[in-house]
């Protein structure tokens, strides 16, 4: 007997609760993880300060979680940090799919 696994989409992700867990869709599979620990957050903060300095000299745009990055219908990630170089800013397109989403093409 074959096991049928559901394929998750960005629409399914929008219906999940905002409960502090990290939800991502990777290749149509739902990945759920706990929120990050204190040491991890300190590393993210230090890295963001460096990226923010690059933003101040107009090298690009820095974003810090929580937000979703929508690559396509079956691939939605929630990175801790995202930096988009100014030369590549065109990858940020359209209106967000939810109040915390960026769309990448």
């Amino acid at each position: 007997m074959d096991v049928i696994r559901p394929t998750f989409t960005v629409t399914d992700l929008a219906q999940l609760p905002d409960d502090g867990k990290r939800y991502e869709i990777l290749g149509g599979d739902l990945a759920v993880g706990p929120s990050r620990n204190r040491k991890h957050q300190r590393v993210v903060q230090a890295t963001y300060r460096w990226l923010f300095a690059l933003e101040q000299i107009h090298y690009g745009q820095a974003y810090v979680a929580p937000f979703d990055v929508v690559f396509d219908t079956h691939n939605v990630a929630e990175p801790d940090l995202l930096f988009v170089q100014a030369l590549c800013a065109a990858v940020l397109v359209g209106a967000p799919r939810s109040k915390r989403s960026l769309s990448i093409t």
Side-chain angles (χ1 to χ4, degrees):
M1 175 186 270
D2 291 330
V3 175
I4 300 172
R5 288 186 6 210
T7 301
F8 291 89
T9 67
V10 66
T11 304
D12 299 318
L13 186 65
Q15 296 175 16
L16 295 173
D18 189 8
D19 57 6
K21 294 180 183 171
R22 184 184 193 110
Y23 294 98
E24 298 179 296
I25 299 174
L26 308 171
D29 293 330
L30 180 64
V32 182
S35 50
R36 304 298 189 202
N37 65 31
R38 187 174 65 153
K39 181 178 179 183
H40 179 91
Q41 290 298 328
R42 298 292 290 170
V43 170
V44 169
Q45 288 171 349
T47 306
Y48 179 74
R49 284 192 297 270
W50 182 74
L51 293 174
F52 186 73
L54 292 175
E55 184 175 314
Q56 296 305 299
I57 59 172
H58 308 288
Y59 191 70
Q61 300 171 17
Y63 300 90
V64 66
F67 60 90
D68 296 328
V69 177
V70 180
F71 293 101
D72 60 41
T73 303
H74 299 288
N75 290 286
V76 182
E78 186 181 333
D80 294 311
L81 295 168
L82 175 68
F83 188 81
V84 180
Q85 283 185 306
L87 295 173
C88 301
V91 301
L92 301 175
V93 297
R97 296 176 193 260
S98 72
K99 61 185 173 192
R100 58 179 203 152
S101 295
L102 296 172
S103 295
I104 306 292
T105 61

